[in-house]
Structures are given as structure tokens and as C-alpha cells.
């Protein structure tokens, strides 16, 4: 079987000099779809085994932050990558527009509450990064947060990005490993997928006029993503800029990123004590001697 896809070209651990334009959304490293199917099946098996260790050990948590432009395939990525894991050990949180209670608190309040507990994999489908993405492209949204004067300035965005980086470092010190994924879709491929939605009755529900309005701000969003990745990439909480023009290849990269993160934890299933082993042996004898 072919080797897993390389992660180094996509992993960003230091934002110095990072430029989104240096990453090709159509890249697939010479892998074809047929080979990709076999690689994904193998990766899912490996991920499932690691998740079992994570759950049983109960000392670590894995947080997957999933960000993308519309139609990049966030939901499909979750479905395909997590298809083999135990659903009891996975929690998916889809962050919608904040309600009145969230707006009355700091912008990380609801995010911290949704962070996975030890032993769990948590997936954020959109996340705290919306606060430096859509809010940066549409700064009028900050008005609902009733912030002190100075919100929306260059210093404000630097501080907010710094707060995110500090928050993620704090989670890391508490045992939460963070993997941040940006599904990097090209403008042309987004257009193609939007048209496909309009031509497929079962997918019409996925499309709205707001999608086109946001598409008009494409360059602004690319700038916001570039700034966010550059400011918050670290060895402890790396970004993966995942080529997303080929959905199947994006799934391969994401599953390998999660495997890489879990393997680095050197997890071990707790060993039974002599007393526990003796009790199990007694239980076995009772079961074997019963009718």
C-alpha cells in the first residue's frame, strides 16, 4: 500500500512569512482517487485504534478546529474522517451566530465551555476564529458585542489574535492537543460547487443568497485567514492548510493530521493491578462454572 500523504507541506507551526498564495488548493501530491480510497480506509482504522487509547487512558483531549470558506467541505470532512471512531468519544460543536447570552460575555466564553473533556475528541465546525474572520470582514458585527472604545482598530485585531493564541496555549498546558484545519478552496472550485448545488434538487437547501454576498468578499476573507493563521500558528497548536479542491484528498490530509497528533501523545492503556487481575480471574471461574 502507498505511504500516507506527507503533512509537512501543509503544517504551519510558525506564521513568520506565511502567505496563503504559496499553497495550492488543487495539490494532491500525485495521489490518485483510487489510491486515496485505500489510504483513507487504512487511516480511519489507525485513527479508531488511537481514539480507543485516548478514551481509555483519559489523560488527554484532542480538539479539532475546522475552518473554511463556504462549500469547502467541512461537514463532509467530519463525516468521512470520523466514520470509524466510537461516537461516544466524539463531540461535534457547530458554532452559529452568538445569541444574547454569549454576546453579554467575552468572545471565548462559549468556546471554552465547549472544549472537550479528557478522553474525548472535540470538533469545532467553525469556531472562535469566526471572531477574527467574519467579524473582521464585517466589523459592524462588533457593535452587538458592546465592547469598549477602540474595537475594530488594528491594535484590537492584534490583541484578539493574541488572546486566541494564549487561550490555545492554556488549553495545551491542561492536556488538550489542538489541531487547526483550514480547508483551502479555490475561488473557481467554490463557484463550481455552488452551481452544482443549484443544479441538484437535494442540495438546494445548502445554498442561500448570503453565500453569494460573502463570495463577493473573497479577497477580504483570504486576507483575514492569512492574518489569523500567521498570528496563531505554533508547534503546540499548528495550522494545517489543507488543499480542498479535491475532497477525497482533503480527507486524507485531515485523517493523517489527527493520527500524527494522537501518536505524539504516547498514550498507554492503564495496566491492571494484581488485585484487579485476581478479581477478573475469579469472575471468569464463576462464569465458566455457571449453566
Amino acid at each position: 500500500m502507498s505511504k500516507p500523504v506527507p503533512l509537512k507541506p501543509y503544517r504551519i507551526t510558525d506564521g513568520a512569512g506565511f502567505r496563503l498564495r504559496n499553497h495550492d488548493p488543487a495539490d494532491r501530491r500525485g495521489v490518485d482517487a483510487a489510491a486515496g480510497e485505500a489510504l483513507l480506509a487504512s487511516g480511519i482504522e489507525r485513527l479508531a485504534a488511537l481514539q480507543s487509547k485516548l478514551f481509555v487512558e483519559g489523560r488527554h483531549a484532542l480538539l479539532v478546529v475546522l475552518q473554511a470558506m463556504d462549500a469547502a467541505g467541512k461537514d463532509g470532512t467530519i463525516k468521512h474522517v470520523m466514520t470509524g471512531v466510537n461516537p461516544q468519544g466524539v463531540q461535534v460543536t457547530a458554532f452559529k451566530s452568538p445569541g444574547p447570552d454569549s454576546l453579554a460575555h467575552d468572545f471565548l466564553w462559549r468556546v471554552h465551555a465547549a472544549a472537550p473533556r479528557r478522553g474525548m475528541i472535540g470538533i469545532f465546525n467553525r469556531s472562535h476564529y469566526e471572531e477574527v474572520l467574519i467579524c473582521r470582514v464585517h466589523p459592524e458585527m462588533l457593535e452587538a458585542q458592546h465592547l469598549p472604545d477602540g474595537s475594530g482598530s488594528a491594535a484590537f485585531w492584534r490583541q484578539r489574535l493574541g488572546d486566541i493564541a494564549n487561550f490555545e496555549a492554556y488549553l495545551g498546558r491542561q492536556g488538550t492537543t489542538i489541531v487547526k484545519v483550514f480547508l483551502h478552496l479555490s475561488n473557481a472550485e467554490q463557484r463550481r460547487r455552488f452551481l452544482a448545488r443549484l443544479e441538484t434538487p437535494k442540495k438546494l437547501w445548502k445554498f442561500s443568497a448570503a453565500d453569494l454576498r460573502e463570495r463577493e468578499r473573497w479577497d477580504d476573507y483570504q486576507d483575514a485567514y492569512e492574518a489569523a493563521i500567521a498570528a496563531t500558528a505554533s508547534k503546540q497548536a499548528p495550522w494545517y492548510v489543507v488543499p480542498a479542491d479535491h475532497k477525497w484528498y482533503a480527507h486524507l490530509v485531515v485523517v493523517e493530521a489527527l493520527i500524527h497528533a494522537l501518536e505524539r501523545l504516547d498514550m498507554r492503556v492503564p495496566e491492571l493491578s494484581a488485585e484487579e487481575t485476581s478479581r477478573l480471574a475469579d469472575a471468569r471461574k464463576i462464569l465458566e462454572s455457571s449453566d
Side-chain angles (χ1 to χ4, degrees):
M1 182 177 292
S2 302
K3 294 181 180 180
V5 297
L7 291 176
K8 187 176 180 180
Y10 314 122
R11 187 193 298 122
I12 312 299
T13 58
D14 183 350
F18 171 75
R19 294 293 181 271
L20 199 53
R21 64 174 177 269
N22 294 335
H23 293 261
D24 180 8
D27 180 31
R28 54 187 177 87
R29 297 284 144 172
V31 181
D32 60 37
E37 184 177 353
L39 284 170
L40 182 60
S42 174
I44 288 172
E45 287 184 8
R46 292 158 60 208
L47 180 60
L50 288 164
Q51 186 225 5
S52 294
K53 285 186 177 181
L54 180 76
F55 190 82
V56 172
E57 186 192 47
R59 296 185 61 193
H60 302 274
L62 176 64
L63 173 59
V64 184
V65 174
L66 194 56
Q67 290 288 155
M69 297 290 287
D70 292 326
K74 295 186 302 298
D75 293 341
T77 297
I78 295 171
K79 176 182 176 181
H80 286 85
V81 170
M82 308 304 293
T83 187
V85 302
N86 186 338
Q88 294 184 90
V90 180
Q91 171 186 318
V92 180
T93 305
F95 285 97
K96 306 297 183 181
S97 298
D101 197 26
S102 294
L103 289 170
H105 289 82
D106 64 272
F107 79 97
L108 290 170
W109 175 74
R110 64 171 180 162
V111 177
H112 198 177
R117 65 178 186 270
R118 294 181 180 89
M120 297 287 289
I121 295 176
I123 301 174
F124 286 176
N125 187 345
R126 298 192 186 277
S127 67
H128 44 299
Y129 280 93
E130 293 299 303
E131 293 287 343
V132 291
L133 294 168
I134 190 170
C135 286
R136 191 164 192 167
V137 175
H138 298 282
E140 64 274 12
M141 290 183 172
L142 295 175
E143 295 178 7
Q145 297 183 20
H146 304 293
L147 297 168
D149 292 340
S151 61
S153 65
F156 171 85
W157 295 118
R158 286 196 300 272
Q159 291 165 359
R160 183 161 277 200
L161 287 165
D163 291 338
I164 288 175
N166 290 333
F167 170 67
E168 292 174 350
Y170 166 74
L171 289 181
R173 290 192 293 271
Q174 303 306 308
T176 298
T177 294
I178 303 175
V179 173
K180 298 176 290 192
V181 174
F182 172 50
L183 297 177
H184 187 24
L185 187 72
S186 69
N187 185 290
E189 179 62 14
Q190 187 195 58
R191 175 180 177 275
R192 190 195 68 77
R193 293 183 188 180
F194 278 169
L195 287 172
R197 287 180 179 181
L198 291 172
E199 294 167 0
T200 307
K202 291 183 179 180
K203 293 184 177 181
L204 286 175
W205 64 273
K206 291 186 175 183
F207 189 84
S208 72
D211 295 334
L212 285 182
R213 290 196 297 271
E214 293 303 285
R215 180 173 162 77
E216 292 174 357
R217 306 294 298 273
W218 180 273
D219 290 342
D220 295 331
Y221 274 107
Q222 299 301 294
D223 290 343
Y225 269 109
E226 184 173 281
I229 293 169
T232 61
S234 68
K235 291 181 179 179
Q236 293 72 32
W239 274 100
Y240 287 86
V241 179
V242 177
D245 277 9
H246 301 285
K247 292 181 180 180
W248 58 268
Y249 188 75
H251 301 159
L252 284 181
V253 177
V254 173
V255 77
E256 286 300 326
L258 302 191
I259 289 169
H260 175 76
L262 290 173
E263 285 181 339
R264 293 184 66 191
L265 297 179
D266 191 27
M267 298 175 293
R268 296 172 187 172
V269 176
E271 296 183 2
L272 296 176
S273 66
E275 182 180 351
E276 290 170 326
T277 301
S278 177
R279 284 201 300 265
L280 290 177
D282 291 341
R284 182 186 182 89
K285 290 179 181 177
I286 292 171
L287 289 170
E288 290 177 340
S289 62
S290 63
D291 294 335

